[in-house]
Amino acid sequence: RSEKTFKGFQAQVQASFSGSEGNAGRKLPNLRHGMSATIVGSEQSDTTQANALKAQMEDTGLLSGRLARGQTLETTAGNLDKRPVFEVASFTAESGTSGSNGRRMNAPAENKAIVVLFQPCGNTLQASVTQDRVRSALFSNNDNSFNQALSECSRGGSQFTGEVVGPIDGCPSSEDYFTTYEAIHALMTKDTRWQEARYKMMVLPSNWGGSIGVGTVGGGLTWYDERYVSDPVMYLHEVGHNWRLHHANGPYAYQEYQDTSSSMGYCCDMRCYNFLHSWQLGFSSYFRELSHSEILNSATGISLTIPALGSTAQSGVKILSDNSRSTDAYIVLSFRGTTGYDRHLIGTQYANKVQVSHWDGDNTQDAQPTHLLHTVARDQTILISDTDRVSSRLPTQLKMTVKSGSSSSSVDVLLCAKLLSDDENAPTPCSGGGATAPTTSTSTPPTSVLSEWSSYFESSPAGSSAPVAALGCKGQFCSSMRLRYRTDISFSTATGTRQEVAGDIGSAICQSSQVVTKVTCVNSGSGSGCTLVVECNSPTTGRLSGYQTEMSFFPGSLHATEDSSCPASAVLVGVRCASAQCGQKFLICEEYIAGGSTCVPHCSSLGWNCGDDGCGGSCGTCSSTGTQPSFCHANVGRCVQTGVSKWSSSSSNMSEPNLVASGMGCDGRYCESVQLYLLGISADASNFQKSAWISDNTGHRYLWNTGESAEDRIAECPTGTAITFVECSGKYCDNLQFHCAKPLQWKVGTDEPYVTGWFSEESPGRMDCPQGTVVTGVECQAVKTFCLTKCGDYCDNKRLRCRPIYPERTGAAILGVRTNLTSSVAPSPPASTSWWQDSWNTTKNVFSDLISKAGETASAVDGAQQSSLWWAAVFPLGWVMHNVNQ
């Protein structure tokens, strides 16, 4: 659905186009930027009829989001969106105002924005949505911020600066986005930051509006659901609309968002723009233009070497398509390697493939959808089929052969005419191609390879894991699920990764060469939906085809009971959530090609450089000595470097390392200097927050104390984050505050933390988290009042709170593993506790054992220290000699 609104009768009105099936995008007039038009119609004065039109114009995802809040369709239409409805009877573009003036629509190099955290009509934002967090997610230059992503996607050509304000409170007269903007504008209109900002970005509570993100096509207005402020691709997508980009679709108009190789496709995996969008923004250009007839008339075909889009700006091939409905339509070729900004495609179905796309625009200003027609791997030949955008593929008589090779920086392609003898599914290669046609198995595996359906579950399925072939659900928002498995596929337990969809919209898709072996529902119950989690592993025999299929949207109606199954020869590789609380979804399936009983090492397919290859061999080793000490992380097959930060003290703080801590060190009297022992795992700048200040007591103990006022004795990072930085305040680093962030492409467990023993500057002056965990909190021991020595002043004694981390990707695809540490981090050998050597399957068991011992350890330590207290008999002396706590 497309939102059309304008000022009419001195009020904001919503336009309903006759015959458009509720403003379905493919049924609307061909609107272009710069167009002037005459619109004839009338305001619908009948409230019942107006509400019916509003209901028809509701986007499916928006509607289900509102229904998730217990509202009915009638309530949604009648009370939330209170704008009048203007029924458009006719639409006539004025001559010469189509907007096709050829002006390049490059994204500006410098962009000024203001972000407003808005709380409408008593609806509050989550406590975690702070100015610090949003500022880091948008404007910092650290890993995974919007600014870092935009700089990468624009090849250094565009960046944002700006301010974050709020939360501010107001109450719009209607819940629609434009009325919400007007309410914010009224509150901010005298603020010079608002006046000067070209881009106005509004963050709203998740129970307001219903969409996860909205942007005006042109202009500078964007709105964001609070749950998605940590996704840089969300900003790339909505700001892309401001820059007049439309969505990245499949071959047909109804397959909106299907090209997930582009940030203008489905949310929320990090992607840059596809070639056409990159060209529209001025980040890329064509290196060759061809005509349809030129290729057909070539006796030997046309040979091309196409550079990789991610690392080469001049990288597109344009072919004027004679079979399109307009001479303004093009077929475009581009190569999506794994270099430059396309490093984000490593481990996806798009990596190292040629994309064949269709576009209806004729200049960079045209906000027309892109249509991905084919993705073609090396050593394959296809017949290029165009699209009518509605329901049919159109033959072009063109054929393309992608030659073999291994380079990620370019690919060799041959274009030629289709032969009369060519089979649709197995065309012969263009002359000199040396390639074969893609083959698709049509065999049906025997029914014995499929298990019976599991029982319905609301959290985790009973029994052991196996590759999943089908998923069914029932209940409120699909909250009860059941699974069916492929029993003929074995898998390696050493390669486990996990994906999750924490909001309404998003994808949980395994990386290439992996299959879904378990589906769970976290925080489920009471029909409230869940965070969908899939666990993935690599098959030990056979292989996947490399081409994914999206099954039909299910269940067909919200809260219905329905099953969805992969094709007979395929297996589940992911799930895409498409409405509130993942109440409706798509299965993502991929053909499994059996390979006998011979075990296939996963080193090459996953990009591992160390660890078990899954077949009893090794992918390589790492060195714990030298200038870059590292260890082999057994879950990801990568050498992870280890280091130590600079010291933080009351007089100076460490440089921000932007890495995740696995331990802490102390030095000096009362542990007056602290440092972090770090893993070579990047901190995610888009999910940055600060802890409270802590000390051995709360507040200022005495009137003359200096430094920050401690709020607690325990600093706990927000859920899903780990410590990356420590800041000191007061004498002897009495008060401490920690910066926390999500480890990039890792998940932090939500288990109860394991708590270490107490430590201070005394030898060894260091404490490390054990066995697969990182530091997620720090505790100061309470100061003792009646004592002469070892009183615990100035947070002298500390202990760590640790939680496990689990990889979202593995091997070469996990970009969160740093290849080099920053200059502010010194190399340091790994801790003596070999926590990294525990495999995926034993981490939870070991962690549970540690938890069970934690209480005993803490009690024993506290008990031993209690015996040294000086009681009432020496109270006066203890009071006089007690050091003043700063």
Side-chain angles (χ1 to χ4, degrees):
R1 296 291 181 267
S2 185
E3 167 81 3
K4 305 297 179 188
T5 186
F6 58 89
K7 283 280 191 178
F9 318 112
Q10 305 303 312
Q12 196 79 238
V13 299
Q14 186 176 15
S16 172
F17 285 76
S18 176
S20 67
E21 298 179 7
N23 284 7
R26 65 185 184 278
K27 298 284 188 179
L28 289 170
N30 189 19
L31 304 175
R32 297 192 181 193
H33 174 64
M35 173 186 288
S36 295
T38 299
I39 304 174
V40 178
S42 60
E43 182 178 347
Q44 176 54 254
S45 58
D46 184 274
T47 302
T48 302
Q49 291 296 321
N51 287 347
L53 289 171
K54 288 182 180 182
Q56 189 181 28
M57 288 187 287
E58 284 278 8
D59 180 88
T60 302
L62 178 65
L63 173 61
S64 61
R66 286 172 166 169
L67 292 177
R69 288 141 52 185
Q71 298 162 346
T72 65
L73 180 57
E74 292 74 18
T75 301
T76 298
N79 296 328
L80 297 181
D81 188 344
K82 299 178 181 178
R83 292 173 295 174
V85 175
F86 183 83
E87 290 190 85
V88 178
S90 66
F91 175 94
T92 306
E94 294 182 9
S95 177
T97 63
S98 67
S100 302
N101 56 18
R103 181 174 65 86
R104 289 199 64 79
M105 196 275 303
N106 293 350
E110 301 290 336
N111 303 277
K112 194 167 187 178
I114 184 169
V115 185
V116 178
L117 310 181
F118 186 57
Q119 300 184 142
C121 305
N123 295 281
T124 59
L125 292 164
Q126 297 172 359
S128 62
V129 182
T130 63
Q131 288 191 21
D132 283 339
R133 180 183 176 191
V134 175
R135 186 178 298 110
S136 178
L138 274 159
F139 302 127
S140 80
N141 292 311
N142 297 328
D143 287 345
N144 213 42
S145 71
F146 166 58
N147 229 8
Q148 181 270 333
L150 178 61
S151 177
E152 185 175 26
C153 297
S154 67
R155 310 183 199 277
S158 188
Q159 67 173 3
F160 267 67
T161 58
E163 300 280 347
V164 181
V165 299
I168 64 173
D169 300 303
C171 194
S173 60
S174 173
E175 192 174 319
D176 67 273
Y177 290 103
F178 288 98
T179 305
T180 299
Y181 159 71
E182 289 184 336
I184 296 172
H185 177 72
L187 293 167
M188 295 292 298
T189 188
K190 294 182 180 180
D191 192 315
T192 55
R193 296 170 297 178
W194 179 265
Q195 297 168 3
E196 295 171 357
R198 169 72 177 83
Y199 300 92
K200 296 173 172 61
M201 311 168 85
M202 294 155 277
V203 177
L204 306 172
S206 59
N207 61 354
W208 187 267
S211 291
I212 66 172
V214 177
T216 56
V217 181
L221 304 181
T222 52
W223 299 261
Y224 304 92
D225 183 319
E226 62 185 340
R227 295 168 297 176
Y228 293 83
V229 295
S230 296
D231 292 301
V233 75
M234 178 65 76
Y235 304 111
L236 289 171
H237 185 108
E238 303 306 342
V239 171
H241 285 319
N242 290 168
W243 289 339
R244 308 193 207 293
L245 301 184
H246 209 304
H247 291 141
N249 294 358
Y252 308 121
Y254 64 82
Q255 295 173 319
E256 207 155 2
Y257 307 105
Q258 196 175 74
D259 175 11
T260 54
S261 72
S262 172
S263 56
M264 299 309 294
Y266 214 72
C267 188
C268 293
D269 292 325
M270 175 55 207
R271 302 282 190 268
C272 287
Y273 301 108
N274 64 23
F275 172 80
L276 278 163
H277 289 142
S278 186
W279 169 77
Q280 282 187 269
L281 298 176
F283 305 152
S284 297
S285 60
Y286 293 102
F287 81 93
R288 186 75 180 270
E289 294 189 12
L290 300 166
S291 68
H292 187 261
S293 56
E294 182 181 356
I295 300 169
L296 292 180
N297 295 332
S298 174
T300 58
I302 294 177
S303 179
L304 301 167
T305 297
I306 305 178
L309 170 64
S311 53
T312 306
Q314 198 171 6
S315 55
V317 178
K318 178 163 62 175
I319 305 171
L320 183 62
S321 173
D322 300 332
N323 288 344
S324 298
R325 64 184 178 186
S326 166
T327 56
D328 290 339
Y330 298 105
I331 284 178
V332 176
L333 309 182
S334 62
F335 175 54
R336 307 300 297 272
T338 54
T339 57
Y341 71 56
D342 272 346
R343 67 192 179 100
H344 298 285
L345 297 182
I346 296 174
T348 74
Q349 63 169 326
Y350 301 105
N352 294 315
K353 291 180 181 176
V354 174
Q355 292 191 336
V356 183
S357 301
H358 170 105
W359 194 52
D360 288 313
D362 63 357
N363 73 89
T364 56
Q365 286 185 299
D366 279 344
Q368 297 293 325
T370 62
H371 296 274
L372 181 59
L373 304 175
H374 304 280
T375 58
V376 189
R378 283 188 166 95
D379 202 35
Q380 293 192 335
T381 297
I382 65 158
L383 299 180
I384 297 177
S385 297
D386 201 356
T387 177
D388 69 354
R389 295 59 126 197
V390 180
S391 60
S392 298
R393 298 298 292 270
L394 307 176
T396 65
Q397 307 305 314
L398 299 181
K399 184 165 55 174
M400 180 177 72
T401 291
V402 182
K403 292 186 177 182
S404 59
S406 58
S407 173
S408 288
S409 59
S410 66
V411 67
D412 293 324
V413 168
L414 280 170
L415 296 170
C416 63
K418 172 185 177 293
L419 301 176
L420 291 176
S421 59
D422 275 332
D423 183 281
E424 185 73 26
N425 296 315
T428 58
C430 291
S431 177
T436 59
T439 58
T440 302
S441 171
T442 57
S443 61
T444 301
T447 55
S448 60
V449 302
L450 293 176
S451 72
E452 296 297 323
W453 283 99
S454 71
S455 300
Y456 281 102
F457 61 90
E458 290 194 346
S459 56
S460 182
S464 58
S465 301
V468 178
L471 186 152
C473 67
K474 67 178 182 178
Q476 287 287 101
F477 297 103
C478 210
S479 57
S480 294
M481 295 187 293
R482 66 175 186 168
L483 303 173
R484 203 173 185 192
Y485 302 98
R486 286 282 297 266
T487 59
D488 60 325
I489 304 175
S490 58
F491 63 92
S492 169
T493 60
T495 60
T497 58
R498 64 170 58 181
Q499 308 293 315
E500 68 177 48
V501 182
D504 296 340
I505 306 294
S507 302
I509 300 178
C510 302
Q511 72 181 68
S512 296
S513 305
Q514 291 197 317
V515 300
V516 175
T517 56
K518 190 173 184 179
V519 180
T520 57
C521 203
V522 179
N523 299 325
S524 62
S526 303
S528 60
C530 69
T531 294
L532 186 79
V533 179
V534 302
E535 296 185 10
C536 308
N537 295 88
S538 299
T540 55
T541 61
R543 63 182 178 86
L544 298 175
S545 68
Y547 292 91
Q548 296 175 359
T549 301
E550 187 178 88
M551 307 309 293
S552 298
F553 183 70
F554 83 103
S557 58
L558 207 59
H559 314 315
T561 299
E562 190 173 334
D563 298 329
S564 181
S565 299
C566 290
S569 60
V571 66
L572 187 67
V573 295
V575 179
R576 182 164 291 144
C577 296
S579 70
Q581 300 178 19
C582 201
Q584 293 168 297
K585 52 184 69 71
F586 303 88
L587 299 188
I588 309 297
C589 304
E590 191 169 337
E591 182 186 8
Y592 171 74
I593 302 170
S597 59
T598 303
C599 185
V600 179
H602 55 240
C603 307
S604 176
S605 62
L606 295 179
W608 279 34
N609 56 29
C610 67
D612 184 354
D613 69 356
C615 298
S618 174
C619 295
T621 59
C622 307
S623 174
S624 61
T625 60
T627 58
Q628 292 184 324
S630 63
F631 61 86
C632 183
H633 196 297
N635 299 147
V636 299
R638 294 282 299 278
C639 295
V640 178
Q641 295 184 49
T642 53
V644 61
S645 72
K646 295 181 179 180
W647 294 97
S648 272
S649 66
S650 298
S651 59
S652 64
N653 284 313
M654 64 177 67
S655 300
E656 188 84 59
N658 295 311
L659 298 173
V660 177
S662 61
M664 178 181 282
C666 277
D667 192 35
R669 190 180 183 192
Y670 299 110
C671 187
E672 64 182 345
S673 297
V674 292
Q675 63 181 178
L676 296 175
Y677 288 91
L678 302 160
L679 303 177
I681 296 175
S682 294
D684 186 343
S686 71
N687 204 334
F688 160 85
Q689 299 179 65
K690 291 181 180 180
S691 75
W693 285 95
I694 62 166
S695 186
D696 50 87
N697 59 279
T698 58
H700 282 138
R701 193 170 184 198
Y702 304 111
L703 294 176
W704 54 85
N705 285 162
T706 63
E708 298 292 338
S709 176
E711 300 168 57
D712 206 338
R713 291 193 304 106
I714 299 175
E716 192 75 78
C717 282
T719 301
T721 64
I723 286 176
T724 65
F725 177 87
V726 58
E727 182 177 353
C728 286
S729 174
K731 189 176 181 180
Y732 298 119
C733 191
D734 178 25
N735 304 303
L736 300 101
Q737 185 181 55
F738 301 91
H739 294 187
C740 304
K742 176 185 176 295
L744 185 59
Q745 295 183 315
W746 299 75
K747 296 292 184 186
V748 178
T750 56
D751 318 61
E752 282 297 311
Y754 166 71
V755 182
T756 69
W758 297 103
F759 72 101
S760 188
E761 74 274 5
E762 292 83 8
S763 180
R766 170 179 180 175
M767 182 62 71
D768 292 279
C769 284
Q771 296 178 324
T773 65
V774 293
V775 185
T776 61
V778 175
E779 180 179 354
C780 291
Q781 188 180 41
V783 65
K784 302 173 182 64
T785 301
F786 309 117
C787 61
L788 287 176
T789 62
K790 297 185 181 299
C791 299
D793 293 312
Y794 310 107
C795 190
D796 184 13
N797 300 310
K798 303 172 178 63
R799 59 184 179 186
L800 308 180
R801 302 166 73 84
C802 312
R803 286 184 171 87
I805 56 172
Y806 307 101
E808 298 174 355
R809 290 286 184 259
T810 188
I814 187 161
L815 305 179
V817 174
R818 287 273 188 94
T819 55
N820 290 292
L821 302 182
T822 62
S823 59
S824 64
V825 177
S828 176
S832 57
T833 303
S834 303
W835 65 268
W836 54 85
Q837 294 177 1
D838 287 334
S839 70
W840 166 269
N841 290 301
T842 60
T843 298
K844 282 188 174 179
N845 293 333
V846 172
F847 189 77
S848 296
D849 292 341
L850 290 169
I851 288 291
S852 66
K853 297 175 182 177
E856 303 170 15
T857 303
S859 297
V861 172
D862 287 342
Q865 293 186 348
Q866 287 287 347
S867 64
S868 66
L869 293 179
W870 289 63
W871 298 103
V874 292
F875 171 77
L877 180 61
W879 186 265
V880 171
M881 296 183 65
H882 195 283
N883 290 304
V884 175
N885 184 25
Q886 299 290 324

